Amino acid sequence: MLLPVFTLKLRHKISPRMVAIGRYDGTHPCLAAATQAGKVFIHNPHTRSQHFSASRVFQSPLESDVSLLNINQTVSCLGSGVLNPELGYDTLLVGTQTSLLAYDIYNNSDLFYREVSDGANAIVLGTLGDIAPPLAIIGGNCALQGFDHEGNDLFWTVTGDNVHSLALCDFDGDGKTELLVGSEDFDIRVFKEDEIVAEMTETEIVTSLCPMYGSRFGYALSNGTVGVYDKTARYWRIKSKNHAMSIHAFDINSDGVCELITGWSNGKVDARSDRTGEVIFKDNFSSAVAGVVEGDYRMDGHVQLICCSVDGEIRGYLPGTAEMKGNLLDTSVEQDLIRELSQKKQNLLLELRNYEESTKAELSSPLNEADGQKGIIPANTRLHTALSVNMGNDLQDAHAELGISTSNDTIIRAVLIFAEGIFVGESHVVHPSIHNLSSSLRVPITPPKDVPVDLHLKTFVGYRSSTQFHVFELTRQLPRFTMYALTSPDAASEPVSYVNFSVAERTQRMVTWLNQNFLLPEDSNVQNSPFHVCFTSLRNGGQLYIKMKQSGEITVNTDDIDLAGDIIQSIASFFAIEDLQVEADFPVYFEELRKVLVKVDEYHSVHQKLSADMADNSNLIRSLLVRAEDARLMRDMKTMKSRYMELYDLNKDLLNGYKIRCNNHTELLGNLKAVNQAIQRAGRLRVGKPKNQVISACRDAIRSNNINTLFRIMRVGTAPS
Amino acid sequence: MDLTLSRADYLQVGVTSQKTMKLLPTSRQRATQKVVVGDQDGVVICFGVKKGEAVPVFKTLPGQKISRLELGGAVNTPQEKIFIAAGSEIRGFTKRGKQFLSFETNLTESIKAMYISGSDLFLSASYIYNHYCDCKDQNYYLSGDKINDVICLPVEKLSRVTPVLACQDRVLRVLQGSDVMYEIEVPGPPTVLALHNGDGGDSGEGLLFGTSDGRLGLIQITTSKPIHKWEIRNDKKRGGILCVDSFDIMGDGVKDLLVGRDDGMVEVYSFENANEPVLRFDQMLSESVTSIQGGCVGKDGYDEIVLATYSGWVTGLTTEPTHKESGPGEELKLNQEMQNKISSLRSEIEHLQFKVLQERENYQQSSQSSQAKSTVPSFSINDKFTLNKEDASYSLVLEVRTAIDNVLIQSDVPIDLLDVDKNSAVVSFSSCDTESNDNFLLATYRCQANTTRLELKIRSIEGQYGTLQAYVTPRIQPKTCQVRQYHIKPLSLHQRTHFIDHDRPMNTLTLTGQFSFAEVHSWVVFCLPEVPEKPPAGECATFYFQNTFLDTQLECVYRKGEGVFKSDNISTISILKDVLSKEATKRKINLNISYEINEVSVKHTLKLIHPKLEYQLLLAKKVQLIDALKELQVHEGNTDFLTPEYRCILEEADHLQEEYKKQPAHLERLYGMITDLFIDKFKFKGTNVKTKVPMLLEILDSYDQNTLISFFDAA
């Protein structure tokens, strides 16, 4: 349904995910992409005679239509769009790990150049919520920043981990766009300006996001998954062995609804229905796809889908029209449909025959050895599953345990478990050796995160000599807090860190929440009054106390601030609480954070000193160079040699200084990430408006460098008013 | 001229075997022909196509699995009698479906291959060939390896009966009566034989063969020796050849060669001036092509290729254009036919779904009863586990008639699973508990929708042996899975051959003791692939093998009480010694093992390895340089300032990168084998040199052949 209309072969490599198209002169759409060695190329096929002649841009020696822009740093993200409405044409934005450049190609000038200490891994342009000017929003090391065309920082907030993808989407249907953030901690977060209004947890790094229609958006993960969400509900998801390099929304069949276009790492491009994920179109490049964009590249009034591969191949496609659909492809589609229906009919006939054979076997003699060979088992065979906590021993760490057993003398040959997020590669296999076969099996499970997981079990049941097995398919849910074992409360081991909040609920409902989210022994009977339970973490042995008074006041004691956040979010979700204020104190964690903040100041000082040192050395080098040349011209070889040796020593010092500066910067980044994550964690201890207030207040405190206020905000949840 | 074919699906029958579909001849030129096909449910169906719809002429009742279907008749008359082979029985039908023949042969195994020429009937079971004339026994031959196909050169041209057997040991055997006139070695295990041009060509002696590793060739079978005419290699790594036919689909007056492969590829080769085949058309189906015929089926006047697939599709690739240009009335009619077919299928499906729901409820009811038994639906798996000579890896192909849901791959021996481009399934590797449960590999493949065929690539390590198991779960209700087992032999990279170079320096391993011929044969079967299970006739056996990775050789000569193994690779002898000792101990047989080690063989093996190692190291270096050179090219515009060597690297950049990508871990594999060679050499001297392996690896990092050989000598 997409018609190929042009193919270009540029002799420049294209970096993945760094392709943008824009009308940089207001008229002609040009393709910009990052290429090797810190360069950005701009392909302008429209004005052959025109030449850029500027310090940043030079003509490519290989292609007459291509100009090269020297960034001299590794480009980490690229974008284009109207940033200054007064200009009326697109601006090119180039992000690196330390800076963001907004470049006006037409006028050969920078709109702004900003150093950004958190780096820029992803970029999106557009209007965010009620913020009036268009913003260039970048995501970096746990931080999100939005700049207007003058480089003013109009938007700033934190998120949970390194940002990998950004998109703007009207998530809640109010006519204003929200910011979608995909990060390294597998989360997709939705920011209504600086308020988080939704969080969806995926199973791998979210590498791409793109808005589709209304509140619908497409996403891609680093493990080859692509799918579509509508608000917080996932419409569909498919997984491939290749991974998606770029996703885009484009209407390929002129029916008014965009399809999800995916460019894959093996060079495939496909278009999928946004409702079902069904493949509607396919094409192949000979190397990985680098980016998928759209534009009227031939300037004939039609917008084309443009796909670029990492080898520099560019293809344009036009959508098929509605009338075209019936004529050209109708027969082929009908042929496919006939084949599919015939296949379905065959499958149904086969299933009917299977049932008939099964009925026949029921009437024959009782079970014997030969039956076992063929995979015949008693019809009333049942599979039992049980989840429990195993405290471990010398050989094995503590873990959750899934017990599987059959109800008779049949044996379990193997168990396949498919589950998102807890197994590397999404699946786990238990396959006992021939002498370990039995009718029961224990599977240790160690989820790395506290999230509820559906375990899809496929159990092969038969006999020892079987070559064919019955497959029992079950789905069993792992509770969210599986890795916590119920223990007896002991006041001596109660952690000093705590969170404290109130809910308007009875303790009975709290018990219900507990049963749904923890693996409690079957015989355990948690009493309502007083509500006081204690758990031990199977991961690190940490203690967790949960207490609730009749008044609805809940106290959670744990030294793990992440766990506290998880519990609060879980309780708020269970009780449908929209706003929850929490009082918290984590003395050990806060002390560590104080040290980190001191280190950040130190690193900043060292940074400034190192910069000054480098400037001094540069001046010295300049003067030494001049004096060495003077000596050479005056044929004073001894002095010249001595000057050049000094120059060599200084250069070595400069190199050493550069290495120290690099290390200092890396340390600084690590500590800044810790600070940002601390703000994120403080926010996660609250729900709704109090959450946003905490994040805003913490950010203000850091801006004004008021450390004591920062800690007070983290504890109490509000700034002093 | 170019060939454009469009696909038309006619009918779906049960699972089909190789060579089970034929087109009946017609008297009129280019008139539509009837299709006759037999499946593994034992059903023979004959149908014609009218207005795009398959109309049955006759259909038999289910019975035993049909393994071959042939057309026959008196010589020089239209061949329109239908013969099938099912089990050990031959049945004949007229073209209207009346059975006129039921011939119970005396074969003890199921018939695997069949050919008919006039009154002569040529049959083969696994190892046995029989020739009948008018259903009377004429000739008999016991083959040394499995017989995959049988054919007879045209008697109307040659005035003599010349049967040819395609045997798994890479040999075509030309028979005369019950004796072998001569043998022809072909490059791969032959799977299909056909007469060139359908009639043996001008001489009547032209024989086409296709192999399981995808090669195709033409040999002229004269009375005294073969004449090799041409051979097509399998450079594109396509599937094995299952069926071949000759038909003029190009319309140029010369018959073209139609080829069907087991990966679903359909190919058309035409013969131009040089009498060499040229590929003119190919199309990929998603499942094995078990039969292929050229003819006219869908509509008068339109030639087409008709093929049958493993899961039972009978499909045409027709020259009839899909979209008719003439007349709007015709166009509407075509669409109407399609619509009618779709509606009919939909209503059938609704009806079947209702019945299935009822049966499901009954099935659930029966699961309450303590007396009832629960069977699993039987399904057949078309599987193939073969060694690829080109890259010394194994291919495992699994094919099921319905879609595959998932496959579990388990191995108790260390192997690598490699990626296959054709494969679209999602692979997940599970952690293995090698200690307690003997799992070195646990991997699941979750197949995409409607995948009936899965292809895996496996790399084994010689010296490690065990069993690979595949648990195949199709999307069938009730849910079931079936296990298939494949043996990883100790010398898994060795391939049968019939000629070796006797001038190489050899190491010898000699076994003597009280063991029978069958016993020592079973040990050879255990250690090496491609050895037939059945002991060969006679008192003594000789087999030759070649290592597909290193090109070293192995000779096995054994009889009752004695076995002699010779190889120029000392590691091969070392592996054999270890495994044979273990097997003999297991059977409590007292074995005397003596060996004679030739020191020169180590240097010889290192020299064999040297070109491969040097090539890989050079390739790696060149690939490393490509990015930097490309950047220079971008910056400078032209490359005149570069040395010719570097310019050459730039020009071949794409090819070099592709080559590098094609052979992952090739270098590591070579290193591993050199290390094994080092350890094995000194093991025979009674020395443990494992502490010196790091030094060896250092030498390999900065490789120089003489330094390596010196290290082997000095250590």
Side-chain angles (χ1 to χ4, degrees):
Chain A
M1 297 186 188
L2 280 170
L3 311 176
V5 288
F6 70 83
T7 299
L8 306 171
K9 182 73 181 184
L10 304 182
R11 294 164 67 187
H12 291 278
K13 297 279 189 183
I14 298 178
S15 300
R17 297 193 186 89
M18 289 183 229
V19 180
I21 194 163
R23 297 171 187 262
Y24 303 113
D25 60 2
T27 306
H28 304 104
C30 300
L31 195 77
T35 182
Q36 297 166 208
K39 293 182 170 66
V40 172
F41 77 73
I42 297 137
H43 178 248
N44 181 354
H46 307 287
T47 51
R48 292 188 171 272
S49 55
Q50 181 177 330
H51 285 275
F52 294 113
S53 57
S55 59
R56 285 195 183 271
V57 178
F58 63 97
Q59 201 70 33
S60 166
L62 294 181
E63 313 266 2
S64 59
D65 295 338
V66 172
S67 307
L68 289 167
L69 184 64
N70 268 319
I71 304 298
N72 291 324
Q73 287 182 73
T74 303
V75 178
S76 53
C77 62
L78 196 82
S80 74
V82 176
L83 191 58
N84 185 352
E86 293 171 15
L87 288 183
Y89 50 80
D90 290 332
T91 301
L92 179 69
L93 290 118
V94 182
T96 72
Q97 285 304 308
T98 56
S99 66
L100 175 66
L101 166 70
Y103 183 63
D104 178 351
I105 294 176
Y106 187 56
N107 284 323
N108 179 39
S109 66
D110 297 350
L111 291 194
F112 65 82
Y113 177 87
R114 285 288 302 261
E115 281 219 2
V116 290
S117 54
D118 287 314
N121 299 327
I123 187 163
V124 69
L125 273 91
T127 308
L128 176 63
D130 286 321
I131 303 175
L135 296 179
I137 302 166
I138 58 170
N141 183 20
C142 294
L144 298 159
Q145 288 177 277
F147 300 94
D148 67 3
H149 72 277
E150 292 171 346
N152 297 316
D153 181 348
L154 299 191
F155 171 72
W156 187 94
T157 189
V158 295
T159 187
D161 206 326
N162 284 335
V163 175
H164 273 254
S165 48
L166 292 171
L168 290 166
C169 168
D170 184 9
F171 186 81
D172 54 6
D174 64 351
K176 301 174 187 129
T177 54
E178 281 75 39
L179 179 68
L180 309 178
V181 179
S183 57
E184 207 163 278
D185 59 358
F186 307 170
D187 274 5
I188 300 171
R189 295 187 174 87
V190 184
F191 286 83
K192 194 176 179 64
E193 296 187 29
D194 56 8
E195 174 187 356
I196 294 182
V197 296
E199 269 177 282
M200 288 81 79
T201 300
E202 274 294 336
T203 55
E204 258 296 347
I205 298 167
V206 185
T207 56
S208 294
L209 293 163
C210 78
M212 296 194 70
Y213 171 77
S215 56
R216 237 172 266 167
F217 61 93
Y219 75 100
L221 308 182
S222 65
N223 65 0
T225 301
V226 299
V228 165
Y229 273 88
D230 190 350
K231 294 189 165 76
T232 55
R234 196 163 62 188
Y235 263 14
W236 57 268
R237 173 190 96 109
I238 61 103
K239 190 168 187 286
S240 169
K241 69 176 189 181
N242 304 293
H243 55 274
M245 305 290 278
S246 182
I247 58 175
H248 192 73
F250 190 79
D251 181 9
I252 69 166
N253 51 9
S254 304
D255 62 351
V257 177
C258 285
E259 281 73 36
L260 182 69
I261 318 294
T262 309
W264 297 92
S265 60
N266 64 344
K268 278 195 168 98
V269 177
D270 59 31
R272 293 172 184 266
S273 161
D274 74 329
R275 282 169 285 248
T276 62
E278 182 190 353
V279 176
I280 295 168
F281 171 81
K282 283 192 262 193
D283 202 2
N284 281 283
F285 285 75
S286 56
S287 62
V289 174
V292 180
V293 291
E294 71 182 64
D296 180 12
Y297 215 59
R298 299 190 306 167
M299 296 197 69
D300 58 359
H302 299 104
V303 174
Q304 297 113 47
L305 180 75
I306 298 164
C307 301
C308 315
S309 81
V310 296
D311 280 349
E313 188 177 0
I314 301 170
R315 272 186 220 169
Y317 304 88
L318 273 178
T321 59
E323 316 90 62
M324 211 175 273
K325 181 177 186 173
N327 289 340
L328 284 187
L329 301 175
D330 194 43
T331 306
S332 171
V333 169
E334 280 179 341
Q335 283 275 8
D336 287 347
L337 184 55
I338 286 174
R339 193 176 311 130
E340 190 182 319
L341 290 173
S342 293
Q343 190 70 57
K344 201 169 178 184
K345 175 186 165 185
Q346 288 290 327
N347 288 349
L348 289 168
L349 286 169
L350 198 63
E351 187 170 348
L352 269 182
R353 196 168 71 187
N354 294 340
Y355 290 129
E356 282 161 13
E357 283 179 8
S358 190
T359 305
K360 215 175 294 179
E362 283 169 8
L363 306 177
S364 65
S365 61
L367 269 163
N368 52 57
E369 186 71 21
D371 286 343
Q373 198 94 38
K374 293 185 207 132
I376 297 176
I377 62 172
N380 61 353
T381 304
R382 294 281 184 273
L383 204 70
H384 302 299
T385 61
L387 276 163
S388 61
V389 170
N390 186 319
M391 298 309 294
N393 49 42
D394 294 340
L395 300 176
Q396 207 169 13
D397 291 339
H399 56 269
E401 190 170 85
L402 174 67
I404 307 171
S405 60
T406 63
S407 57
N408 47 34
D409 64 339
T410 55
I411 57 98
I412 297 174
R413 186 69 190 92
V415 180
L416 275 66
I417 307 175
F418 295 105
E420 293 180 47
I422 61 174
F423 303 120
V424 178
E426 288 194 354
S427 83
H428 183 67
V429 179
V430 183
H431 184 277
S433 67
I434 208 77
H435 44 272
N436 285 338
L437 292 178
S438 72
S439 61
S440 67
L441 206 85
R442 295 189 185 283
V443 185
I445 294 175
T446 311
K449 279 187 169 186
D450 290 329
V451 288
V453 178
D454 282 333
L455 304 172
H456 303 283
L457 310 176
K458 294 176 196 286
T459 309
F460 298 166
V461 176
Y463 287 102
R464 201 168 292 265
S465 58
S466 299
T467 58
Q468 199 158 335
F469 297 93
H470 286 253
V471 179
F472 286 71
E473 292 187 324
L474 287 89
T475 298
R476 181 72 195 252
Q477 195 184 65
L478 208 61
R480 180 164 187 173
F481 300 102
T482 296
M483 293 292 282
Y484 297 88
L486 187 68
T487 53
S488 304
D490 176 13
S493 68
E494 186 168 314
V496 294
S497 304
Y498 71 90
V499 293
N500 196 309
F501 55 96
S502 291
V503 296
E505 297 286 348
R506 293 169 292 109
T507 54
Q508 182 61 48
R509 292 210 61 202
M510 193 64 175
V511 173
T512 306
W513 170 82
L514 203 75
N515 277 293
Q516 280 189 20
N517 286 272
F518 286 79
L519 262 187
L520 302 178
E522 284 179 7
D523 58 342
S524 73
N525 186 23
V526 179
Q527 48 178 347
N528 296 349
S529 187
F531 182 95
H532 190 184
V533 290
C534 174
F535 294 92
T536 302
S537 169
L538 304 180
R539 293 194 190 98
N540 52 30
Q543 298 289 307
L544 168 68
Y545 281 71
I546 307 176
K547 290 173 267 186
M548 185 178 189
K549 295 175 180 173
Q550 292 289 359
S551 61
E553 183 185 340
I554 296 173
T555 303
V556 178
N557 290 84
T558 176
D559 287 323
D560 186 345
I561 188 170
D562 283 318
L563 173 59
D566 284 340
I567 286 179
I568 287 167
Q569 299 298 321
S570 177
I571 288 174
S573 170
F574 181 81
F575 291 132
I577 295 168
E578 289 187 12
D579 293 308
L580 183 68
Q581 182 59 275
V582 173
E583 184 185 312
D585 193 9
F586 289 83
V588 173
Y589 183 76
F590 288 163
E591 191 53 39
E592 288 296 317
L593 180 57
R594 188 181 293 273
K595 289 174 186 169
V596 166
L597 288 163
V598 168
K599 280 201 177 86
V600 166
D601 279 344
E602 286 173 7
Y603 288 130
H604 276 307
S605 300
V606 171
H607 181 83
Q608 284 171 330
K609 182 181 180 307
L610 289 172
S611 296
D613 285 353
M614 285 175 72
D616 283 349
N617 281 351
S618 295
N619 286 332
L620 280 176
I621 283 170
R622 215 170 295 130
S623 71
L624 273 176
L625 197 55
V626 170
R627 284 154 68 193
E629 281 300 292
D630 284 349
R632 185 179 70 82
L633 289 175
M634 294 176 64
R635 299 192 188 279
D636 186 354
M637 293 303 157
K638 188 179 176 187
T639 305
M640 184 193 77
K641 221 189 282 191
S642 134
R643 295 279 184 271
Y644 273 124
M645 281 174 66
E646 284 182 62
L647 189 61
Y648 178 75
D649 290 339
L650 263 178
N651 195 51
K652 278 205 314 190
D653 286 350
L654 208 55
L655 276 177
N656 285 336
Y658 175 72
K659 286 195 176 80
I660 293 168
R661 195 170 189 245
C662 277
N663 289 335
N664 188 69
H665 184 69
T666 303
E667 294 286 328
L668 176 63
L669 283 187
N671 283 274
L672 284 176
K673 177 168 176 171
V675 174
N676 286 328
Q677 283 183 332
I679 295 172
Q680 177 76 14
R681 287 177 171 130
R684 235 173 146 257
L685 295 178
R686 281 91 184 176
V687 179
K689 286 193 182 64
K691 178 182 202 173
N692 301 328
Q693 286 165 8
V694 161
I695 293 179
S696 298
C698 286
R699 185 189 65 211
D700 289 340
I702 284 184
R703 262 193 185 137
S704 56
N705 206 29
N706 194 335
I707 304 303
N708 289 325
T709 301
L710 176 72
F711 287 114
R712 174 182 157 76
I713 293 160
M714 287 186 165
R715 272 196 295 269
V716 178
T718 55
S721 27
Chain B
M1 67 181 305
D2 213 356
L3 185 61
T4 304
L5 301 176
S6 49
R7 178 170 175 168
D9 293 303
Y10 294 132
L11 192 71
Q12 190 171 21
V13 297
V15 169
T16 63
S17 302
Q18 201 182 336
K19 285 192 171 183
T20 50
M21 187 270 296
K22 289 281 181 181
L23 303 186
L24 294 176
T26 60
S27 49
R28 287 183 296 116
Q29 182 80 334
R30 305 190 88 191
T32 54
Q33 297 169 253
K34 302 290 194 291
V35 182
V36 62
V37 56
D39 62 22
Q40 292 187 16
D41 299 325
V43 176
V44 181
I45 187 167
C46 177
F47 68 92
V49 175
K50 286 185 177 125
K51 294 188 170 65
E53 194 75 30
V55 180
V57 175
F58 72 85
K59 182 176 181 178
T60 69
L61 293 176
Q64 230 171 327
K65 164 176 152 178
I66 293 170
S67 53
R68 278 288 199 270
L69 185 145
E70 284 288 331
L71 300 181
V75 175
N76 290 320
T77 66
Q79 309 287 287
E80 57 185 24
K81 299 289 197 298
I82 303 159
F83 294 90
I84 61 159
S88 59
E89 187 186 14
I90 304 292
R91 283 188 272 142
F93 300 88
T94 66
K95 61 182 181 179
R96 299 199 178 277
K98 184 184 177 186
Q99 182 173 334
F100 65 89
L101 174 72
S102 178
F103 173 44
E104 181 63 50
T105 69
N106 54 7
L107 296 171
T108 53
E109 299 174 15
S110 293
I111 295 163
K112 296 279 197 298
M114 171 174 74
Y115 189 77
I116 294 175
S117 175
S119 301
D120 289 294
L121 175 65
F122 307 91
L123 301 176
S124 73
S126 289
Y127 293 88
I128 295 162
Y129 154 81
N130 267 80
H131 172 205
Y132 300 90
C133 187
D134 288 322
C135 299
K136 294 188 183 67
D137 211 332
Q138 303 288 312
N139 291 300
Y140 167 89
Y141 176 72
L142 182 63
S143 170
D145 206 336
K146 283 183 186 173
I147 302 169
N148 291 330
D149 204 9
V150 62
I151 203 165
C152 178
L153 300 183
V155 294
E156 62 267 27
K157 287 193 175 183
L158 300 181
S159 308
R160 67 175 193 269
V161 174
T162 313
V164 183
L165 307 180
C167 298
Q168 181 70 17
D169 53 353
R170 272 190 208 82
V171 161
L172 305 183
R173 294 190 158 90
V174 182
L175 303 183
Q176 188 170 52
S178 299
D179 301 316
V180 176
M181 250 189 337
Y182 58 87
E183 296 182 344
I184 307 161
E185 186 172 4
V186 290
T191 48
V192 62
L193 297 174
L195 298 179
H196 179 46
N197 252 29
D199 58 3
D202 295 334
S203 64
E205 295 171 329
L207 181 71
L208 294 163
F209 69 90
T211 68
S212 66
D213 55 358
R215 300 164 196 254
L216 196 56
L218 174 63
I219 304 178
Q220 187 177 345
I221 310 289
T222 69
T223 51
S224 55
K225 65 176 172 34
I227 301 171
H228 292 264
K229 296 290 191 177
W230 51 258
E231 183 188 307
I232 302 172
R233 299 203 319 224
N234 188 14
D235 291 334
K236 296 177 184 173
K237 296 289 200 297
R238 293 185 169 176
I241 294 174
L242 292 183
C243 48
V244 171
D245 195 29
S246 294
F247 182 78
D248 180 17
I249 190 75
M250 303 288 297
D252 56 1
V254 178
K255 286 200 174 178
D256 307 304
L257 183 56
L258 315 179
V259 176
R261 295 178 185 262
D262 66 17
D263 58 351
M265 184 64 73
V266 179
E267 293 170 338
V268 176
Y269 295 87
S270 70
F271 295 89
E272 289 172 356
N273 304 322
N275 271 327
E276 295 267 332
V278 177
L279 180 66
R280 301 300 296 269
F281 171 88
D282 57 16
Q283 180 164 326
M284 171 77 80
L285 276 62
S286 58
E287 45 202 67
S288 292
V289 179
T290 52
S291 302
I292 193 164
Q293 296 281 299
C296 177
V297 167
K299 186 167 274 217
D300 282 348
Y302 289 106
D303 290 331
E304 68 188 274
I305 300 168
V306 185
L307 43 91
T309 68
Y310 172 76
S311 70
W313 278 106
V314 182
T315 296
L317 295 175
T318 178
T319 51
E320 180 185 359
T322 302
H323 181 62
K324 295 179 77 78
E325 301 297 336
S326 64
E330 186 72 35
E331 180 180 336
L332 285 175
K333 195 178 179 186
L334 186 68
N335 282 340
Q336 195 58 49
E337 285 172 9
M338 291 278 194
Q339 291 300 327
N340 287 344
K341 205 164 178 181
I342 289 173
S343 304
S344 161
L345 276 169
R346 284 201 201 278
S347 60
E348 277 187 77
I349 284 171
E350 274 179 29
H351 177 68
L352 283 170
Q353 268 169 342
F354 179 71
K355 280 178 90 177
V356 163
L357 281 179
Q358 276 185 325
E359 291 295 331
R360 274 184 194 167
E361 283 171 15
N362 290 344
Y363 187 73
Q364 291 301 319
Q365 288 294 319
S366 74
S367 71
Q368 307 302 318
S369 165
S370 59
Q371 292 303 314
K373 296 190 292 186
S374 181
T375 60
V376 285
S378 65
F379 64 96
S380 58
I381 299 177
N382 183 28
D383 59 344
K384 186 180 158 192
F385 186 61
T386 52
L387 173 63
N388 299 307
K389 181 173 183 170
E390 280 76 28
D391 56 6
S393 68
Y394 278 83
S395 279
L396 173 61
V397 180
L398 301 163
E399 188 173 18
V400 181
R401 75 172 294 179
T402 60
I404 299 174
D405 185 75
N406 65 76
V407 176
L408 164 62
I409 302 290
Q410 181 267 340
S411 172
D412 57 2
V413 61
I415 55 172
D416 291 328
L417 272 181
L418 308 177
D419 195 32
V420 179
D421 277 349
K422 299 178 222 176
N423 193 348
S424 63
V426 177
V427 58
S428 306
F429 293 93
S430 179
S431 56
C432 301
D433 43 350
T434 55
E435 297 296 321
S436 54
N437 283 322
D438 294 335
N439 293 317
F440 277 91
L441 174 76
L442 287 171
T444 59
Y445 284 82
R446 282 173 285 164
C447 295
Q448 306 286 324
N450 291 330
T451 300
T452 58
R453 188 174 183 277
L454 185 68
E455 191 170 324
L456 315 177
K457 217 167 170 69
I458 286 150
R459 194 170 49 215
S460 57
I461 302 164
E462 285 206 326
Q464 313 258 13
Y465 57 99
T467 304
L468 174 74
Q469 296 192 106
Y471 294 79
V472 182
T473 306
R475 291 177 211 264
I476 285 177
Q477 294 293 342
K479 270 295 186 194
T480 182
C481 94
Q482 194 179 127
V483 193
R484 285 299 169 109
Q485 291 186 340
Y486 309 96
H487 293 290
I488 309 286
K489 312 265 179 155
L491 294 172
S492 50
L493 301 181
H494 278 70
Q495 192 181 60
R496 279 286 296 281
T497 185
H498 295 277
F499 306 99
I500 56 169
D501 177 5
H502 288 280
D503 294 331
R504 294 188 180 185
M506 291 296 210
N507 307 282
T508 306
L509 177 73
T510 306
L511 314 178
T512 53
Q514 292 182 1
F515 48 80
S516 66
F517 185 50
E519 190 87 63
V520 63
H521 178 75
S522 72
W523 294 342
V524 173
V525 170
F526 183 83
C527 287
L528 286 146
E530 298 186 345
V531 184
E533 296 279 331
K534 188 179 64 60
E539 295 177 2
C540 181
T542 302
F543 289 105
Y544 297 129
F545 298 89
Q546 186 180 37
N547 187 313
T548 54
F549 194 62
L550 297 178
D551 294 328
T552 55
Q553 299 173 157
L554 173 63
E555 177 189 20
C556 306
V557 182
Y558 53 95
R559 67 183 76 238
K560 176 187 174 183
E562 186 191 46
V564 180
F565 302 88
K566 295 182 178 180
S567 176
D568 53 340
N569 186 346
I570 202 168
S571 291
T572 303
I573 294 295
S574 175
I575 291 167
L576 277 171
K577 179 168 89 72
D578 289 345
V579 176
L580 293 174
S581 300
K582 216 172 289 182
E583 289 298 301
T585 303
K586 203 183 294 180
R587 290 175 168 81
K588 297 187 175 22
I589 291 174
N590 198 349
L591 203 65
N592 293 319
I593 298 181
S594 62
Y595 43 82
E596 181 187 321
I597 300 303
N598 187 338
E599 295 271 342
V600 182
S601 70
V602 174
K603 186 178 297 185
H604 161 80
T605 306
L606 289 176
K607 284 180 176 171
L608 283 181
I609 293 173
H610 171 68
K612 303 184 207 307
L613 190 54
E614 192 178 48
Y615 175 78
Q616 290 297 318
L617 289 168
L618 199 59
L619 183 66
K621 278 176 186 162
K622 285 180 176 177
V623 167
Q624 272 179 340
L625 284 173
I626 285 170
D627 273 352
L629 291 175
K630 283 202 168 179
E631 185 179 329
L632 283 175
Q633 184 185 32
V634 165
H635 204 272
E636 297 299 327
N638 67 66
T639 56
D640 293 345
F641 66 95
L642 291 173
T643 64
E645 182 196 351
Y646 284 171
R647 282 206 296 266
C648 192
I649 290 176
L650 269 176
E651 285 156 13
E652 297 175 358
D654 289 343
H655 173 73
L656 290 171
Q657 276 169 332
E658 193 176 317
E659 188 85 15
Y660 192 67
K661 204 187 294 182
K662 208 184 291 180
Q663 291 173 342
H666 205 110
L667 211 49
E668 283 76 20
R669 225 174 170 189
L670 285 165
Y671 284 1
M673 293 195 175
I674 292 171
T675 306
D676 283 348
L677 192 66
F678 182 67
I679 291 171
D680 290 331
K681 177 193 176 181
F682 290 97
K683 192 201 282 183
F684 277 112
K685 292 184 165 183
T687 309
N688 187 346
V689 290
K690 288 203 165 108
T691 53
K692 290 179 177 154
V693 167
M695 289 171 62
L696 176 63
L697 294 177
E698 271 178 39
I699 289 174
L700 290 171
D701 273 345
S702 50
Y703 172 70
D704 175 70
Q705 188 187 16
N706 292 324
T707 309
L708 183 65
I709 291 177
S710 300
F711 181 78
F712 266 70
D713 288 340

